[in-house]
Amino acid sequence: MRTRVYIDGYNFYYGCLKHTPYKWLDLVHLFENHLLPRSGATSSELHPEHGIKFYTAEISPRAALDEHSVQDQRSYHAALAGHHPNAVKMKIVKGSYAIDKIDARKVECCEDGKEKEPKYCSTVKVWKLEEKQSDVNVAIDAVFDAFTDHSIEQVVFATNDTDIFPALKKLQELNALGIRPPIKIGLVTPAKERHGPRRTNKALSQLADWTINFITDKELKLSQLPCRVTGGKKPAFQPVSWFEHREQVAELLSILSACDVCGSVPKAWRWLCSPKPAIEGLPELAEDPSTMLYTRAGVEAVLAHAKCFAEHARNDA
């Protein structure tokens, strides 16, 4: 069943990626190998042209809480594009990030401690930070694609935002008209396995043929991009802060990128992404070092090897 997936990037991030070590996510792999097979929709396969459309917006430096956030996000977008070149399987659609001053009502209490109704509260000027256009673009593109590409047999929405409700409703109405082959609707709620406060929106799930209510940590873990992605104009590297064992990875890169060892961070990553032969006097690594950075034991083994390698490099110099 030829399928196109529409992902609301910010809704997906805040739903199941924030505060996890799984942000360096290969979305194509996640849907092809885990979510579509789990959906129960038989023989689902991604559309050969833009099987996944990923809707996002670049963070504004004015709003970023971390000084590296803007560059980290750009690295991720470059990695997605580089790992899936020519936009055949995946397309990134960018909206905008708006920062505006608005008047908002303060939460105030009466003398007895009860909260006042908003209309009785004073206003204060605040910053409103908002990612724009993604939900609108998702809705418009999904309906437009269904009208213009009758080879699409299934559309899947990865979001829990009710702003796409009208789009799902229009797709159902389109099916009722019978002017094109019926199109199935799937819904993936970007939520962790233990939902916490986030639950699938019933209004959306009632319009879908099938719903996946959460994404497991195992599915995210098995769908990570390589640490170093080389398909673009220049390599893209996984941000250090996106690793679970970020302190050890930072120390590792500091050692390897020294001018008398590898000479730069890109060269350090190149060293980490190539198998290491057994060398007398160095701790042996059974795997490609870059694949060992996701467990404490693995990253510590690579760190021990790198320290010995740096010492040998300096001695040979």
Side-chain angles (χ1 to χ4, degrees):
M1 191 186 316
R2 184 168 285 186
T3 301
R4 180 165 285 155
V5 179
Y6 302 84
I7 302 174
D8 182 336
Y10 275 80
N11 196 276
F12 197 94
Y13 172 80
Y14 285 106
C16 64
L17 294 179
K18 190 176 181 181
H19 302 312
T20 77
Y22 307 125
K23 300 182 189 75
W24 197 243
L25 184 63
D26 184 346
L27 294 163
V28 172
H29 184 94
L30 177 67
F31 278 86
E32 274 191 330
N33 295 281
H34 300 289
L35 299 183
L36 290 180
R38 180 152 71 88
S39 71
T42 57
S43 305
S44 297
E45 60 179 11
L46 290 179
H47 196 293
E49 183 180 356
H50 307 155
I52 288 183
K53 290 187 174 181
F54 179 60
Y55 298 81
T56 186
E58 288 201 1
I59 302 167
S60 169
R62 295 175 60 201
L65 297 178
D66 187 304
E67 61 179 325
H68 303 294
S69 294
V70 174
Q71 185 55 49
D72 290 351
Q73 186 196 43
R74 288 174 181 169
S75 295
Y76 178 54
H77 292 168
L80 285 176
H83 198 58
H84 302 286
N86 304 319
V88 174
K89 283 195 173 181
M90 179 168 180
K91 181 179 182 181
I92 299 175
V93 182
K94 292 187 179 182
S96 59
Y97 200 91
I99 302 177
D100 298 302
K101 295 175 185 176
I102 63 168
D103 291 322
R105 298 281 179 178
K106 294 170 63 177
V107 178
E108 296 177 333
C109 295
C110 303
E111 291 182 2
D112 61 4
K114 291 183 179 180
E115 289 184 355
K116 296 180 182 178
E117 292 294 325
K119 60 185 177 181
Y120 299 122
C121 296
S122 59
T123 60
V124 62
K125 196 168 288 293
V126 300
W127 289 108
K128 182 181 180 183
L129 314 177
E130 188 177 14
E131 184 265 334
K132 307 284 282 186
Q133 301 177 4
S134 284
D135 49 1
V136 175
N137 287 336
V138 167
I140 290 174
D141 278 5
V143 174
F144 179 83
D145 292 350
F147 266 103
T148 59
D149 186 349
H150 289 190
S151 74
I152 298 175
E153 299 169 282
Q154 177 174 244
V155 295
V156 177
F157 297 92
T159 183
N160 203 32
D161 190 338
T162 53
D163 285 347
I164 66 159
F165 179 89
L168 272 67
K169 194 70 176 174
K170 286 298 177 187
L171 290 171
Q172 280 199 338
E173 292 173 8
L174 180 60
N175 281 341
L177 290 173
I179 60 177
R180 60 148 290 156
I183 189 166
K184 275 187 171 292
I185 301 171
L187 178 68
V188 176
T189 302
K192 298 176 184 178
E193 189 167 2
R194 295 181 178 177
H195 290 59
R198 178 172 259 217
R199 302 280 181 176
T200 298
N201 188 283
K202 289 183 180 180
L204 298 181
S205 63
Q206 287 172 353
L207 295 178
D209 294 290
W210 57 261
T211 300
I212 289 177
N213 294 307
F214 59 85
I215 302 173
T216 67
D217 282 350
K218 183 177 180 181
E219 288 168 333
L220 296 172
K221 185 176 182 178
L222 292 174
S223 302
Q224 295 297 293
L225 292 161
C227 299
R228 178 176 178 262
V229 177
T230 58
K233 293 181 180 179
K234 59 181 182 179
F237 308 107
Q238 181 172 345
V240 171
S241 63
W242 288 18
F243 283 90
E244 183 175 3
H245 307 291
R246 58 183 66 86
E247 291 180 3
Q248 290 90 338
V249 173
E251 182 183 359
L252 183 60
L253 288 172
S254 177
I255 291 168
L256 292 172
S257 62
C259 59
D260 52 357
V261 184
C262 291
S264 67
V265 170
K267 288 180 180 178
W269 274 117
R270 195 180 308 161
W271 183 92
L272 285 166
C273 293
S274 60
K276 296 291 163 276
I279 300 176
E280 186 178 354
L282 291 183
E284 188 173 349
L285 298 180
E287 306 172 48
D288 177 337
S290 67
T291 65
M292 300 173 65
L293 303 181
Y294 299 98
T295 66
R296 182 171 296 279
V299 73
E300 287 179 352
V302 176
L303 190 53
H305 186 102
K307 288 176 179 178
C308 291
F309 171 77
E311 185 177 343
H312 277 252
R314 292 181 176 115
N315 289 339
D316 289 346

